[in-house]
Amino acid sequence: MTPMVKAEGVHKSYGSAHILRGIDLEVAPREVFCLVGPSGSGKSTFLRCINHLEKINAGRLSVDGHLVGYRQKGDKLYELKDSEVAAQRRDIGMVFQRFNLFPHMTALANVMEAPIQVKGETKAVARERAERLLDRVGLADKAGNYPSQLSGGQQQRVAIARALAMEPKLMLFDEPTSALDPELVGDVLDVMRGLAEDGMTMIVVTHEMGFAREVGDSLVFMDGGVVVESGHPRDVLTNPQHDRTKSFLSKVL
């Protein structure tokens, strides 16, 4: 089976700051893959490399068997044109810490926008899907509301619906609950549980260890730009093998 995501020796630097130091991992189709670790460990940077929002400096990164951002000719890699990268991104949904909704658009219009502008769908088709997705995330009654009229948790659920509107094969979540008040976290995690049950391949950068334990298929602990420890979430969280993992988990569990 072709991995949905495969990273081979991935490095990323910003000037002299070496953020990713040779990441090797695979994510299978339909897998819920959780990335945990302290701030600055490279988790979010790696997530952004998967859809080429950040360009890697060395190594190889592929999604569903296709190199991300590059094509290979002989022994050399050539960077894709912006239009080709944009085409790759259509299959990869991303949900950020901050919701990044268009403030001048209603929830419904936010979800409709990308399929119309990027895929050339008719308003009728895009609207039907947007209404269905808003209902799926429990916000059918908020379709006409603007972001300023929604709570943070509601805005994040609209952002998830917006990402799903492109019918991606892979969903990336960059700490989707970290900006939310504690009482709003549960509704967002419930939506993500539903996606997992439906078989969506998901990579989730999270501090929600309960979610990782309950829903995750694999868990990777990162620190200093490397994979320190990996395994089934219950195994890593209850019986970590590495001292650095033990130290981190003692502070967050």
Side-chain angles (χ1 to χ4, degrees), residues 28-84:
R30 303 175 67 88
E31 185 173 7
V32 179
F33 191 96
C34 297
L35 285 171
V36 304
S39 297
S41 59
K43 309 181 303 294
S44 294
T45 297
F46 177 68
L47 209 65
R48 292 169 65 85
C49 288
I50 293 173
N51 62 2
H52 208 57
L53 288 175
E54 300 286 356
K55 300 177 184 179
I56 64 176
N57 299 113
R60 298 165 67 89
L61 192 52
S62 59
V63 171
D64 201 19
H66 300 284
L67 283 173
V68 173
Y70 300 90
R71 89 175 152 271
Q72 184 165 351
K73 192 171 183 180
D75 294 332
K76 293 187 177 181
L77 296 179
Y78 297 88
E79 190 163 3
L80 297 178
K81 300 175 183 176
D82 288 346
S83 60
E84 294 172 306

Side-chain angles (χ1 to χ4, degrees), residues 8 23 26 29 66 83 101 106 111 114 141 146 160 163 170 180 191 195-196 226 232 234:
E8 302 171 89
I23 301 295
E26 290 189 8
H66 300 284
S83 60
L101 298 177
T106 64
V111 180
D141 60 334
Y146 290 88
I160 293 172
L170 169 67
L180 303 180
V191 171
L195 293 177
V226 300
H232 190 278
R234 287 192 181 91

Side-chain angles (χ1 to χ4, degrees), residues 67-118:
L67 283 173
V68 173
Y70 300 90
R71 89 175 152 271
Q72 184 165 351
K73 192 171 183 180
D75 294 332
K76 293 187 177 181
L77 296 179
Y78 297 88
E79 190 163 3
L80 297 178
K81 300 175 183 176
D82 288 346
S83 60
E84 294 172 306
V85 173
Q88 286 187 330
R89 287 198 189 114
R90 294 178 192 178
D91 292 330
I92 306 171
M94 187 158 187
V95 178
F96 300 88
Q97 295 179 40
R98 297 290 174 178
F99 326 118
N100 297 337
L101 298 177
F102 297 116
H104 62 289
M105 292 184 178
T106 64
L108 184 69
N110 264 282
V111 180
M112 291 173 58
E113 181 71 2
I116 292 172
Q117 298 298 330
V118 178

Side-chain angles (χ1 to χ4, degrees), residues 193-231:
R193 284 187 188 92
L195 293 177
E197 290 168 2
D198 290 345
M200 174 63 74
T201 309
M202 300 160 58
I203 303 179
V204 185
V205 173
T206 186
H207 292 296
E208 300 290 339
M209 300 302 165
F211 174 85
R213 182 188 291 110
E214 176 191 347
V215 182
D217 299 301
S218 299
L219 184 144
V220 159
F221 171 67
M222 286 180 63
D223 190 29
V226 300
V227 172
V228 176
E229 189 165 344
S230 62

